[in-house]
Amino acid sequence: MQQLIKRLQQLHYVSEEMQQHLESQFTRVVLPKNEFLIEEGKICRHLYFLEQGCLRGFYNLDGKEITHWFGFENDFVTSFHSFITQDPAVENIQLMEGSILWSISKDALNKLVDQHREAERLLRIAYEKYYIRLEGRFVNSQFRTAAERYEKLLTETPEIIERVPLGYIASFLGISQETLSRVRSRL
C-alpha cells in the first residue's frame, strides 16, 4: 500500500485523512502468471494499481491476439472504456508475471471522489496520463518506422526485453516476429 500512496503523492498532494480512506478502500490482490484481470465481454468494475509484475492488454481479431499495451510496476491499469462506461470490455488484460495489485471498485472510487477533492484531482491526472499514453501509441504506430518504434520502446522501458515474450512485443509494434528479428539484428 505504501508504494501506491507514494505514487499518488508524486501526482498530487494526499492528505493523512485521504490516505486512511485509501487504505480502507483498496484491496490487495495477488494473482499468478497468465491469470486474466479482465476478459472481453465482461464488465470491468475495478481500477488497479500494479505494485509488482507485468501485464498486457490485447484484443482478439479473427482468432489472433493483438497486444496494444503493457503495464509495469507503478501503473494504474484497467479496461478504461469498460470501467468508465460500465459496458462490456472489448479487450483482455492478462498477467505475464505473478503480480501484486491494489484494487478499488468503481463505487468505492466514486465515494472517495465525493468525499475528497484531492481524489478527484488525482483521478483526473491519472486519466490525463492514460490519454497521453494512448495518443503517444497512436502517433507511434502511424508516423514511425518499425525500427523507430522498437528503439522508442527500448528507451522508455528497457527491461521489456527480459520480461515480455518477443511475439507480444512484435504484436505491440504492429509487425511480425520475423520483422522484429530483422530490426533487432540491425540495431
Side-chain angles (χ1 to χ4, degrees):
M1 179 54 100
Q2 290 309 311
Q3 196 171 331
L4 169 60
I5 301 294
K6 183 178 177 183
R7 177 66 179 128
L8 291 173
Q9 287 174 331
Q10 290 171 343
L11 300 174
H12 187 299
Y13 171 76
V14 179
S15 69
E16 270 302 315
E17 182 185 353
M18 187 169 138
Q19 283 184 40
Q20 291 172 358
H21 279 120
L22 287 168
E23 289 172 5
S24 71
Q25 296 302 313
F26 273 87
T27 303
R28 187 173 188 257
V29 179
V30 179
L31 296 172
K33 179 179 180 176
N34 295 324
E35 186 81 16
F36 282 86
L37 207 52
I38 187 72
E39 294 179 75
E40 64 184 286
K42 296 182 179 176
I43 296 173
C44 184
R45 301 188 192 283
H46 292 86
L47 173 69
Y48 301 90
F49 173 76
L50 184 57
E51 179 178 303
Q52 179 183 321
C54 172
L55 49 79
R56 71 182 180 117
F58 70 94
Y59 296 103
N60 283 308
L61 181 64
D62 300 325
K64 186 176 179 184
E65 294 178 357
I66 310 295
T67 298
H68 69 103
W69 63 274
F70 297 106
F72 297 98
E73 285 82 7
N74 296 316
D75 281 338
F76 289 95
V77 297
T78 192
S79 176
F80 276 95
H81 184 269
S82 179
F83 182 73
I84 292 167
T85 65
Q86 292 296 279
D87 290 337
V90 295
E91 70 179 317
N92 300 281
I93 301 175
Q94 183 181 30
L95 303 173
M96 292 185 293
E97 298 174 352
S99 299
I100 299 171
L101 305 107
W102 291 90
S103 169
I104 187 168
S105 72
K106 183 169 178 63
D107 290 341
L109 184 60
N110 286 339
K111 286 178 187 170
L112 198 63
V113 166
D114 289 343
Q115 293 173 347
H116 299 276
R117 188 173 189 288
E118 65 209 82
E120 185 173 11
R121 186 174 183 111
L122 281 165
L123 187 60
R124 181 183 53 80
I125 291 168
Y127 284 170
E128 287 171 354
K129 288 189 173 300
Y130 173 77
Y131 175 79
I132 289 166
R133 283 179 65 187
L134 186 64
E135 186 175 295
R137 286 195 306 267
F138 172 76
V139 168
N140 224 15
S141 69
Q142 296 296 311
F143 304 111
R144 292 200 169 93
T145 67
E148 290 170 335
R149 292 192 304 269
Y150 182 68
E151 287 182 67
K152 184 171 176 31
L153 182 65
L154 291 182
T155 300
E156 292 176 353
T157 52
E159 75 278 6
I160 199 166
I161 294 301
E162 290 87 39
R163 298 179 74 183
V164 175
L166 290 178
Y168 294 159
I169 292 172
S171 175
F172 173 75
L173 295 172
I175 58 178
S176 68
Q177 272 192 264
E178 294 78 17
T179 301
L180 178 58
S181 292
R182 284 193 296 276
V183 166
R184 293 182 72 206
S185 69
R186 280 183 257 158
L187 294 179

